[in-house]
Amino acid sequence: MSVHIAFSGGLEDLFNKQRNLTVPLESQLTLKQLVFHLKDRYLQTRPELFMSGDSLRPGIIVLVNDMDWELCGKDDYVVQDRDAISFISTLHGG
Amino acid sequence: MIKSCELCGIEKPAIKRPKTGQGICKPCFFSAIENEVHETIISSNLFHPGEKIAIGASGGKDSTVLIHLLDLLNKRHNYGIELHLLSIDEGIVGYRDDSLVTVKRNQEVYQLPLTIVSYSELFGWTMDQIVKKIGLNNNCTYCGVFRRQALDRGARMIGAEKIATGHNADDIAETVLMNLLRGDHFRLGKSTDIVTGEEGDMPRCKPLKYLYEKEIVLYAHYQNLDYFSTECVYSPNAYRGYAREFLKDLERIRPRAILDIIHSGEMLSVSAPAPAKMTCERCGNVSSNKICKACTLLETLSKP
């Protein structure tokens, strides 16, 4: 299976300026596990801007198929084949 | 998992609103945001017919949403105000030049006049030159003091009666915390005011005062607004950064905390007397001392 990942709001700068990624997955992951996977395999710089402790940094909004992840279980959501998952940072200047 | 919008009961929910905890759909979210900002504008009497409003436009998410909403609401509710975009070019290559390109694209979209005033024309220095001279210590102080005056002068230049800025609820809660931590009583009392500077000649207002940053970002995202999001190339304001992280941690546990901090600020009665307003002996701009902060900083730059 694979998922489509989009970064915006400045997060793309941490992932080699890539705004879109297709990420193949060998097993089913929760969103929390996916965040670790992205950090371990794709993040290029400044992990502290992506994660804080063992979870996603507060202030990053996640959309699962264009729906707020707070409506679908957040960390515990089980990622499905071909999901489109967006990570949007809110922390950059207004 | 919520199956349908908690307001209309029909559409698929798209956002959990931090203020209410409700899961609502995109159309209901758009109406809620637009109606609430309209309510704020009316209940605080922010605008009057015939006024020219300078919108501080940085190209970032907050000012982009502000432009979109003021343009929309002015047309929808006939405020009768004239909108004029005002951008400040601090002279930071690789940051402000790029964000100004975004402002220019939005100027086209909304067909609003745009004026750009630069630090180099107003003060004779770009931020790049200032950083070259003084290094990465204290440079945000220069930038902040200069921006404040540049917005005032730019707004006067275009004949505006008032400046509207994109400060959101998170920004204001952050400022309350920072002033509290610094013991800055005078600023603490004013930091939640929706209109400031009414005693001077260029008042400022914050129509997005009660919108969460999350709502602004998702409004911009779902409306496909064009905004710029890159961190300034110079070190960010560290003190504000800590306050911001702390707030974001609080918000994760209890989203209402942000509005509650604003309400606490609003209820505070601060006894500190307001510093007297005068005009700077050197440049003639509003100041709380004989020589204004901008002129004092400029003097430090002119020393070898």
Side-chain angles (χ1 to χ4, degrees), chain A residues 9-11 13 89-94, chain B residues 61-62 213 229-231 244:
Chain A
L11 280 177
D13 293 348
S89 173
T90 64
L91 297 166
H92 287 77
Chain B
K61 57 186 168 27
D62 302 304
E213 192 156 60
S229 49
T230 294
E231 196 70 76
R244 165 155 296 220

Side-chain angles (χ1 to χ4, degrees), chain A residues 3 6 8 11 14-15 19-20 29 31 35-36 40 48-49 58-59 61 71 76 78 82 90 92:
Chain A
V3 289
S8 60
L11 280 177
L14 311 181
F15 290 86
R19 297 183 67 95
N20 294 286
L29 301 180
L31 254 175
V35 166
F36 271 100
D40 293 340
E48 74 281 5
L49 295 185
I61 298 170
L71 292 171
D76 300 329
V78 178
R82 295 188 197 169
T90 64
H92 287 77

Side-chain angles (χ1 to χ4, degrees), chain A residues 9-10 12-13 52 55-59 61 63 65-68 70-72 74 88-94, chain B residues 1-2 12-16 23 26 58 60-63 213-214 217 221-222 229-231 245 248-249 252:
Chain A
E12 60 274 28
D13 293 348
S52 146
S55 54
L56 193 69
R57 189 176 173 211
I61 298 170
L63 299 178
N65 302 319
D66 228 18
M67 181 200 263
D68 189 351
E70 293 187 43
L71 292 171
C72 54
K74 294 184 81 170
I88 312 172
S89 173
T90 64
L91 297 166
H92 287 77
Chain B
M1 190 158 151
I2 310 161
K12 198 179 111 186
I15 170 174
K16 184 171 180 182
K26 285 181 205 175
S58 68
K61 57 186 168 27
D62 302 304
S63 65
E213 192 156 60
K214 175 183 172 185
V217 170
H221 176 80
Y222 289 138
S229 49
T230 294
E231 196 70 76
E245 295 260 318
K248 288 289 170 199
D249 283 339
R252 175 152 65 174

Side-chain angles (χ1 to χ4, degrees), chain B residues 110-173:
Chain B
Y110 297 100
Q111 292 286 306
L112 293 171
L114 164 68
T115 299
I116 302 174
V117 291
S118 69
Y119 283 8
S120 82
E121 62 179 285
L122 295 183
F123 305 109
W125 291 81
T126 66
M127 271 318 288
D128 285 339
Q129 290 167 333
I130 291 174
V131 169
K132 216 174 237 171
K133 169 107 185 179
I134 65 164
L136 284 173
N137 237 333
N138 222 10
N139 54 310
C140 294
T141 304
Y142 284 78
C143 199
V145 169
F146 288 170
R147 184 175 316 99
R148 173 154 206 90
Q149 193 183 100
L151 269 176
D152 276 358
R153 289 168 66 179
R156 253 181 269 137
M157 241 182 257
I158 60 178
E161 271 88 13
K162 198 175 273 171
I163 299 170
T165 59
H167 291 97
N168 60 45
D170 296 54
D171 295 330
I172 294 168

Side-chain angles (χ1 to χ4, degrees), chain B residues 10-127:
Chain B
I10 303 164
E11 305 251 354
K12 198 179 111 186
I15 170 174
K16 184 171 180 182
R17 283 203 76 185
K19 199 176 295 184
T20 60
Q22 284 177 315
I24 64 176
C25 67
K26 285 181 205 175
C28 287
F29 172 58
F30 294 155
S31 331
I33 295 297
E34 291 155 13
N35 292 339
E36 284 175 21
V37 173
H38 174 60
E39 282 292 307
T40 304
I41 289 170
I42 296 304
S43 63
S44 303
N45 213 3
L46 292 191
F47 305 129
H48 305 97
E51 271 182 342
K52 186 188 267 192
I53 307 297
I55 306 180
S58 68
K61 57 186 168 27
D62 302 304
S63 65
T64 302
V65 169
L66 181 66
I67 294 166
H68 177 90
L69 287 174
L70 289 189
D71 180 62
L72 178 95
L73 296 174
N74 188 30
K75 287 172 181 155
R76 184 182 291 169
H77 299 288
N78 300 311
Y79 297 154
I81 53 173
E82 197 183 324
L83 301 173
H84 194 122
L85 308 185
L86 175 61
S87 295
I88 308 301
D89 183 357
E90 298 94 343
I92 303 174
V93 173
Y95 172 64
R96 188 53 82 209
D97 44 352
D98 293 341
S99 71
L100 286 176
V101 173
T102 314
V103 177
K104 285 172 192 159
R105 280 201 302 269
N106 278 317
Q107 182 209 356
E108 296 283 312
V109 171
Y110 297 100
Q111 292 286 306
L112 293 171
L114 164 68
T115 299
I116 302 174
V117 291
S118 69
Y119 283 8
S120 82
E121 62 179 285
L122 295 183
F123 305 109
W125 291 81
T126 66
M127 271 318 288

